[in-house]
PDB file of all heavy atoms in Angstrom:
ATOM      1  N   ILE A 345      10.677  99.769 191.117  1.00 94.00           N
ATOM      2  CA  ILE A 345      10.860  98.321 191.236  1.00 94.00           C
ATOM      3  C   ILE A 345      11.916  97.836 190.239  1.00 94.00           C
ATOM      4  O   ILE A 345      12.835  97.080 190.578  1.00 94.00           O
ATOM      5  CB  ILE A 345       9.523  97.589 191.015  1.00 94.00           C
ATOM      6  CG1 ILE A 345       8.557  97.893 192.169  1.00 94.00           C
ATOM      7  CG2 ILE A 345       9.748  96.080 190.893  1.00 94.00           C
ATOM      8  CD1 ILE A 345       7.163  97.337 191.964  1.00 94.00           C
ATOM      9  N   GLY A 346      11.794  98.302 188.988  1.00 93.00           N
ATOM     10  CA  GLY A 346      12.781  97.926 187.979  1.00 93.00           C
ATOM     11  C   GLY A 346      14.167  98.451 188.302  1.00 93.00           C
ATOM     12  O   GLY A 346      15.177  97.749 188.126  1.00 93.00           O
ATOM     13  N   PHE A 347      14.222  99.693 188.788  1.00 92.00           N
ATOM     14  CA  PHE A 347      15.495 100.301 189.155  1.00 92.00           C
ATOM     15  C   PHE A 347      16.177  99.493 190.254  1.00 92.00           C
ATOM     16  O   PHE A 347      17.396  99.277 190.226  1.00 92.00           O
ATOM     17  CB  PHE A 347      15.247 101.732 189.611  1.00 92.00           C
ATOM     18  CG  PHE A 347      16.463 102.637 189.545  1.00 92.00           C
ATOM     19  CD1 PHE A 347      16.322 104.005 189.673  1.00 92.00           C
ATOM     20  CD2 PHE A 347      17.735 102.133 189.369  1.00 92.00           C
ATOM     21  CE1 PHE A 347      17.419 104.843 189.612  1.00 92.00           C
ATOM     22  CE2 PHE A 347      18.842 102.954 189.314  1.00 92.00           C
ATOM     23  CZ  PHE A 347      18.683 104.314 189.432  1.00 92.00           C
ATOM     24  N   TYR A 348      15.403  99.031 191.221  1.00 93.00           N
ATOM     25  CA  TYR A 348      15.968  98.259 192.336  1.00 93.00           C
ATOM     26  C   TYR A 348      16.569  96.939 191.851  1.00 93.00           C
ATOM     27  O   TYR A 348      17.695  96.575 192.223  1.00 93.00           O
ATOM     28  CB  TYR A 348      14.888  97.997 193.383  1.00 93.00           C
ATOM     29  CG  TYR A 348      15.383  97.217 194.578  1.00 93.00           C
ATOM     30  CD1 TYR A 348      15.996  97.864 195.638  1.00 93.00           C
ATOM     31  CD2 TYR A 348      15.248  95.827 194.637  1.00 93.00           C
ATOM     32  CE1 TYR A 348      16.468  97.153 196.741  1.00 93.00           C
ATOM     33  CE2 TYR A 348      15.710  95.107 195.717  1.00 93.00           C
ATOM     34  CZ  TYR A 348      16.316  95.777 196.772  1.00 93.00           C
ATOM     35  OH  TYR A 348      16.789  95.066 197.844  1.00 93.00           O
ATOM     36  N   PHE A 349      15.858  96.212 191.008  1.00 93.00           N
ATOM     37  CA  PHE A 349      16.324  94.893 190.592  1.00 93.00           C
ATOM     38  C   PHE A 349      17.481  94.963 189.588  1.00 93.00           C
ATOM     39  O   PHE A 349      18.263  94.013 189.476  1.00 93.00           O
ATOM     40  CB  PHE A 349      15.161  94.088 190.008  1.00 93.00           C
ATOM     41  CG  PHE A 349      14.231  93.542 191.049  1.00 93.00           C
ATOM     42  CD1 PHE A 349      12.960  94.073 191.223  1.00 93.00           C
ATOM     43  CD2 PHE A 349      14.638  92.506 191.880  1.00 93.00           C
ATOM     44  CE1 PHE A 349      12.107  93.578 192.196  1.00 93.00           C
ATOM     45  CE2 PHE A 349      13.795  92.002 192.862  1.00 93.00           C
ATOM     46  CZ  PHE A 349      12.525  92.548 193.028  1.00 93.00           C
ATOM     47  N   PHE A 350      17.608  96.073 188.881  1.00 92.00           N
ATOM     48  CA  PHE A 350      18.691  96.215 187.904  1.00 92.00           C
ATOM     49  C   PHE A 350      19.774  97.184 188.383  1.00 92.00           C
ATOM     50  O   PHE A 350      20.554  97.683 187.579  1.00 92.00           O
ATOM     51  CB  PHE A 350      18.125  96.702 186.564  1.00 92.00           C
ATOM     52  CG  PHE A 350      17.298  95.681 185.851  1.00 92.00           C
ATOM     53  CD1 PHE A 350      15.912  95.727 185.910  1.00 92.00           C
ATOM     54  CD2 PHE A 350      17.891  94.644 185.137  1.00 92.00           C
ATOM     55  CE1 PHE A 350      15.137  94.785 185.267  1.00 92.00           C
ATOM     56  CE2 PHE A 350      17.126  93.696 184.486  1.00 92.00           C
ATOM     57  CZ  PHE A 350      15.734  93.757 184.551  1.00 92.00           C
ATOM     58  N   ARG A 351      19.833  97.438 189.697  1.00 91.00           N
ATOM     59  CA  ARG A 351      20.765  98.440 190.215  1.00 91.00           C
ATOM     60  C   ARG A 351      22.230  98.056 189.971  1.00 91.00           C
ATOM     61  O   ARG A 351      23.064  98.926 189.694  1.00 91.00           O
ATOM     62  CB  ARG A 351      20.527  98.666 191.705  1.00 91.00           C
ATOM     63  CG  ARG A 351      20.777  97.461 192.592  1.00 91.00           C
ATOM     64  CD  ARG A 351      20.288  97.697 194.015  1.00 91.00           C
ATOM     65  NE  ARG A 351      20.601  96.587 194.910  1.00 91.00           N
ATOM     66  CZ  ARG A 351      19.902  95.480 194.984  1.00 91.00           C
ATOM     67  NH1 ARG A 351      18.834  95.307 194.210  1.00 91.00           N
ATOM     68  NH2 ARG A 351      20.252  94.527 195.832  1.00 91.00           N
ATOM     69  N   VAL A 352      22.559  96.759 190.064  1.00 91.00           N
ATOM     70  CA  VAL A 352      23.948  96.341 189.829  1.00 91.00           C
ATOM     71  C   VAL A 352      24.353  96.623 188.393  1.00 91.00           C
ATOM     72  O   VAL A 352      25.458  97.133 188.121  1.00 91.00           O
ATOM     73  CB  VAL A 352      24.110  94.845 190.165  1.00 91.00           C
ATOM     74  CG1 VAL A 352      25.527  94.382 189.810  1.00 91.00           C
ATOM     75  CG2 VAL A 352      23.817  94.593 191.640  1.00 91.00           C
ATOM     76  N   ASP A 353      23.481  96.307 187.450  1.00 91.00           N
ATOM     77  CA  ASP A 353      23.781  96.555 186.037  1.00 91.00           C
ATOM     78  C   ASP A 353      23.902  98.047 185.759  1.00 91.00           C
ATOM     79  O   ASP A 353      24.743  98.467 184.951  1.00 91.00           O
ATOM     80  CB  ASP A 353      22.679  95.948 185.155  1.00 91.00           C
ATOM     81  CG  ASP A 353      22.575  94.440 185.335  1.00 91.00           C
ATOM     82  OD1 ASP A 353      23.633  93.783 185.353  1.00 91.00           O
ATOM     83  OD2 ASP A 353      21.450  93.938 185.470  1.00 91.00           O
ATOM     84  N   ILE A 354      23.071  98.853 186.421  1.00 90.00           N
ATOM     85  CA  ILE A 354      23.126 100.301 186.213  1.00 90.00           C
ATOM     86  C   ILE A 354      24.451 100.864 186.714  1.00 90.00           C
ATOM     87  O   ILE A 354      25.093 101.684 186.042  1.00 90.00           O
ATOM     88  CB  ILE A 354      21.939 100.984 186.911  1.00 90.00           C
ATOM     89  CG1 ILE A 354      20.628 100.584 186.225  1.00 90.00           C
ATOM     90  CG2 ILE A 354      22.091 102.505 186.902  1.00 90.00           C
ATOM     91  CD1 ILE A 354      19.379 101.028 186.959  1.00 90.00           C
ATOM     92  N   VAL A 355      24.875 100.415 187.897  1.00 91.00           N
ATOM     93  CA  VAL A 355      26.155 100.882 188.441  1.00 91.00           C
ATOM     94  C   VAL A 355      27.302 100.475 187.520  1.00 91.00           C
ATOM     95  O   VAL A 355      28.200 101.278 187.230  1.00 91.00           O
ATOM     96  CB  VAL A 355      26.366 100.320 189.862  1.00 91.00           C
ATOM     97  CG1 VAL A 355      27.788 100.586 190.341  1.00 91.00           C
ATOM     98  CG2 VAL A 355      25.368 100.944 190.835  1.00 91.00           C
ATOM     99  N   THR A 356      27.287  99.255 187.057  1.00 90.00           N
ATOM    100  CA  THR A 356      28.355  98.776 186.164  1.00 90.00           C
ATOM    101  C   THR A 356      28.369  99.563 184.860  1.00 90.00           C
ATOM    102  O   THR A 356      29.437  99.931 184.351  1.00 90.00           O
ATOM    103  CB  THR A 356      28.165  97.279 185.866  1.00 90.00           C
ATOM    104  OG1 THR A 356      28.156  96.550 187.095  1.00 90.00           O
ATOM    105  CG2 THR A 356      29.282  96.763 184.982  1.00 90.00           C
ATOM    106  N   LEU A 357      27.195  99.827 184.322  1.00 88.00           N
ATOM    107  CA  LEU A 357      27.098 100.545 183.058  1.00 88.00           C
ATOM    108  C   LEU A 357      27.652 101.961 183.168  1.00 88.00           C
ATOM    109  O   LEU A 357      28.371 102.436 182.268  1.00 88.00           O
ATOM    110  CB  LEU A 357      25.627 100.584 182.606  1.00 88.00           C
ATOM    111  CG  LEU A 357      25.324 101.406 181.347  1.00 88.00           C
ATOM    112  CD1 LEU A 357      26.002 100.789 180.132  1.00 88.00           C
ATOM    113  CD2 LEU A 357      23.817 101.517 181.133  1.00 88.00           C
ATOM    114  N   LEU A 358      27.351 102.648 184.274  1.00 86.00           N
ATOM    115  CA  LEU A 358      27.729 104.045 184.399  1.00 86.00           C
ATOM    116  C   LEU A 358      29.114 104.252 185.004  1.00 86.00           C
ATOM    117  O   LEU A 358      29.827 105.179 184.612  1.00 86.00           O
ATOM    118  CB  LEU A 358      26.678 104.783 185.250  1.00 86.00           C
ATOM    119  CG  LEU A 358      25.272 104.858 184.667  1.00 86.00           C
ATOM    120  CD1 LEU A 358      24.333 105.556 185.630  1.00 86.00           C
ATOM    121  CD2 LEU A 358      25.278 105.577 183.323  1.00 86.00           C
ATOM    122  N   TYR A 359      29.488 103.416 185.957  1.00 87.00           N
ATOM    123  CA  TYR A 359      30.734 103.646 186.697  1.00 87.00           C
ATOM    124  C   TYR A 359      31.837 102.627 186.394  1.00 87.00           C
ATOM    125  O   TYR A 359      32.924 102.739 186.953  1.00 87.00           O
ATOM    126  CB  TYR A 359      30.459 103.601 188.207  1.00 87.00           C
ATOM    127  CG  TYR A 359      29.566 104.712 188.721  1.00 87.00           C
ATOM    128  CD1 TYR A 359      28.789 104.539 189.864  1.00 87.00           C
ATOM    129  CD2 TYR A 359      29.502 105.946 188.084  1.00 87.00           C
ATOM    130  CE1 TYR A 359      27.990 105.547 190.362  1.00 87.00           C
ATOM    131  CE2 TYR A 359      28.693 106.964 188.562  1.00 87.00           C
ATOM    132  CZ  TYR A 359      27.934 106.761 189.702  1.00 87.00           C
ATOM    133  OH  TYR A 359      27.134 107.765 190.191  1.00 87.00           O
ATOM    134  N   GLY A 360      31.550 101.656 185.551  1.00 83.00           N
ATOM    135  CA  GLY A 360      32.494 100.551 185.377  1.00 83.00           C
ATOM    136  C   GLY A 360      33.438 100.683 184.204  1.00 83.00           C
ATOM    137  O   GLY A 360      33.839  99.663 183.628  1.00 83.00           O
ATOM    138  N   HIS A 361      33.818 101.885 183.833  1.00 81.00           N
ATOM    139  CA  HIS A 361      34.680 102.061 182.657  1.00 81.00           C
ATOM    140  C   HIS A 361      35.897 102.925 182.954  1.00 81.00           C
ATOM    141  O   HIS A 361      36.421 103.583 182.054  1.00 81.00           O
ATOM    142  CB  HIS A 361      33.880 102.685 181.508  1.00 81.00           C
ATOM    143  CG  HIS A 361      32.628 101.943 181.174  1.00 81.00           C
ATOM    144  ND1 HIS A 361      32.620 100.754 180.467  1.00 81.00           N
ATOM    145  CD2 HIS A 361      31.323 102.198 181.483  1.00 81.00           C
ATOM    146  CE1 HIS A 361      31.377 100.321 180.332  1.00 81.00           C
ATOM    147  NE2 HIS A 361      30.563 101.170 180.947  1.00 81.00           N
ATOM    148  N   GLY A 362      36.331 102.940 184.215  1.00 78.00           N
ATOM    149  CA  GLY A 362      37.458 103.809 184.536  1.00 78.00           C
ATOM    150  C   GLY A 362      38.175 103.371 185.792  1.00 78.00           C
ATOM    151  O   GLY A 362      38.483 102.188 185.981  1.00 78.00           O
ATOM    152  N   GLU A 363      38.398 104.329 186.683  1.00 79.00           N
ATOM    153  CA  GLU A 363      39.227 104.115 187.861  1.00 79.00           C
ATOM    154  C   GLU A 363      38.508 103.378 188.997  1.00 79.00           C
ATOM    155  O   GLU A 363      39.150 102.896 189.928  1.00 79.00           O
ATOM    156  CB  GLU A 363      39.716 105.475 188.393  1.00 79.00           C
ATOM    157  CG  GLU A 363      40.611 106.226 187.430  1.00 79.00           C
ATOM    158  CD  GLU A 363      41.937 105.502 187.209  1.00 79.00           C
ATOM    159  OE1 GLU A 363      42.422 104.878 188.178  1.00 79.00           O
ATOM    160  OE2 GLU A 363      42.452 105.534 186.085  1.00 79.00           O
ATOM    161  N   LEU A 364      37.193 103.284 188.948  1.00 82.00           N
ATOM    162  CA  LEU A 364      36.448 102.682 190.053  1.00 82.00           C
ATOM    163  C   LEU A 364      36.571 101.160 190.014  1.00 82.00           C
ATOM    164  O   LEU A 364      36.292 100.532 188.984  1.00 82.00           O
ATOM    165  CB  LEU A 364      34.983 103.103 189.974  1.00 82.00           C
ATOM    166  CG  LEU A 364      34.165 103.044 191.261  1.00 82.00           C
ATOM    167  CD1 LEU A 364      34.765 103.940 192.342  1.00 82.00           C
ATOM    168  CD2 LEU A 364      32.731 103.467 190.988  1.00 82.00           C
ATOM    169  N   SER A 365      36.969 100.569 191.132  1.00 83.00           N
ATOM    170  CA  SER A 365      37.177  99.112 191.194  1.00 83.00           C
ATOM    171  C   SER A 365      35.850  98.360 191.214  1.00 83.00           C
ATOM    172  O   SER A 365      34.794  98.928 191.501  1.00 83.00           O
ATOM    173  CB  SER A 365      37.981  98.761 192.451  1.00 83.00           C
ATOM    174  OG  SER A 365      37.219  99.055 193.611  1.00 83.00           O
ATOM    175  N   GLU A 366      35.920  97.039 190.939  1.00 86.00           N
ATOM    176  CA  GLU A 366      34.716  96.212 190.978  1.00 86.00           C
ATOM    177  C   GLU A 366      34.143  96.139 192.390  1.00 86.00           C
ATOM    178  O   GLU A 366      32.922  96.138 192.573  1.00 86.00           O
ATOM    179  CB  GLU A 366      35.029  94.804 190.461  1.00 86.00           C
ATOM    180  CG  GLU A 366      35.312  94.742 188.973  1.00 86.00           C
ATOM    181  CD  GLU A 366      35.452  93.317 188.483  1.00 86.00           C
ATOM    182  OE1 GLU A 366      35.157  92.393 189.277  1.00 86.00           O
ATOM    183  OE2 GLU A 366      35.834  93.111 187.326  1.00 86.00           O
ATOM    184  N   ALA A 367      35.033  96.074 193.383  1.00 86.00           N
ATOM    185  CA  ALA A 367      34.563  96.051 194.769  1.00 86.00           C
ATOM    186  C   ALA A 367      33.848  97.352 195.110  1.00 86.00           C
ATOM    187  O   ALA A 367      32.809  97.350 195.792  1.00 86.00           O
ATOM    188  CB  ALA A 367      35.740  95.827 195.721  1.00 86.00           C
ATOM    189  N   GLY A 368      34.392  98.464 194.621  1.00 87.00           N
ATOM    190  CA  GLY A 368      33.751  99.756 194.851  1.00 87.00           C
ATOM    191  C   GLY A 368      32.393  99.831 194.180  1.00 87.00           C
ATOM    192  O   GLY A 368      31.425 100.348 194.758  1.00 87.00           O
ATOM    193  N   GLN A 369      32.280  99.292 192.966  1.00 89.00           N
ATOM    194  CA  GLN A 369      31.000  99.287 192.260  1.00 89.00           C
ATOM    195  C   GLN A 369      29.971  98.449 193.010  1.00 89.00           C
ATOM    196  O   GLN A 369      28.803  98.826 193.111  1.00 89.00           O
ATOM    197  CB  GLN A 369      31.200  98.736 190.849  1.00 89.00           C
ATOM    198  CG  GLN A 369      32.079  99.602 189.953  1.00 89.00           C
ATOM    199  CD  GLN A 369      32.387  98.917 188.636  1.00 89.00           C
ATOM    200  OE1 GLN A 369      31.514  98.313 188.012  1.00 89.00           O
ATOM    201  NE2 GLN A 369      33.639  98.969 188.217  1.00 89.00           N
ATOM    202  N   SER A 370      30.406  97.297 193.520  1.00 91.00           N
ATOM    203  CA  SER A 370      29.489  96.430 194.265  1.00 91.00           C
ATOM    204  C   SER A 370      28.986  97.121 195.532  1.00 91.00           C
ATOM    205  O   SER A 370      27.794  97.021 195.873  1.00 91.00           O
ATOM    206  CB  SER A 370      30.203  95.123 194.628  1.00 91.00           C
ATOM    207  OG  SER A 370      29.385  94.292 195.413  1.00 91.00           O
ATOM    208  N   HIS A 371      29.881  97.834 196.210  1.00 91.00           N
ATOM    209  CA  HIS A 371      29.494  98.537 197.428  1.00 91.00           C
ATOM    210  C   HIS A 371      28.499  99.650 197.105  1.00 91.00           C
ATOM    211  O   HIS A 371      27.522  99.854 197.829  1.00 91.00           O
ATOM    212  CB  HIS A 371      30.734  99.111 198.101  1.00 91.00           C
ATOM    213  CG  HIS A 371      30.542  99.395 199.550  1.00 91.00           C
ATOM    214  ND1 HIS A 371      31.549  99.822 200.386  1.00 91.00           N
ATOM    215  CD2 HIS A 371      29.431  99.308 200.351  1.00 91.00           C
ATOM    216  CE1 HIS A 371      31.089  99.987 201.607  1.00 91.00           C
ATOM    217  NE2 HIS A 371      29.802  99.689 201.609  1.00 91.00           N
ATOM    218  N   ILE A 372      28.718 100.364 196.017  1.00 91.00           N
ATOM    219  CA  ILE A 372      27.810 101.443 195.608  1.00 91.00           C
ATOM    220  C   ILE A 372      26.434 100.871 195.281  1.00 91.00           C
ATOM    221  O   ILE A 372      25.402 101.451 195.639  1.00 91.00           O
ATOM    222  CB  ILE A 372      28.393 102.196 194.404  1.00 91.00           C
ATOM    223  CG1 ILE A 372      29.636 102.982 194.826  1.00 91.00           C
ATOM    224  CG2 ILE A 372      27.358 103.146 193.795  1.00 91.00           C
ATOM    225  CD1 ILE A 372      30.422 103.568 193.682  1.00 91.00           C
ATOM    226  N   ALA A 373      26.391  99.721 194.605  1.00 92.00           N
ATOM    227  CA  ALA A 373      25.111  99.087 194.280  1.00 92.00           C
ATOM    228  C   ALA A 373      24.353  98.708 195.544  1.00 92.00           C
ATOM    229  O   ALA A 373      23.119  98.828 195.611  1.00 92.00           O
ATOM    230  CB  ALA A 373      25.338  97.859 193.404  1.00 92.00           C
TER     231      ALA A 373
END
Side-chain angles (χ1 to χ4, degrees):
I345 292 174
F347 201 167
Y348 181 85
F349 284 108
F350 290 100
R351 63 190 184 279
V352 175
D353 299 315
I354 293 171
V355 170
T356 302
L357 175 65
L358 296 178
Y359 295 153
H361 306 284
E363 297 294 326
L364 203 60
S365 66
E366 290 187 9
Q369 295 173 43
S370 177
H371 201 175
I372 291 170

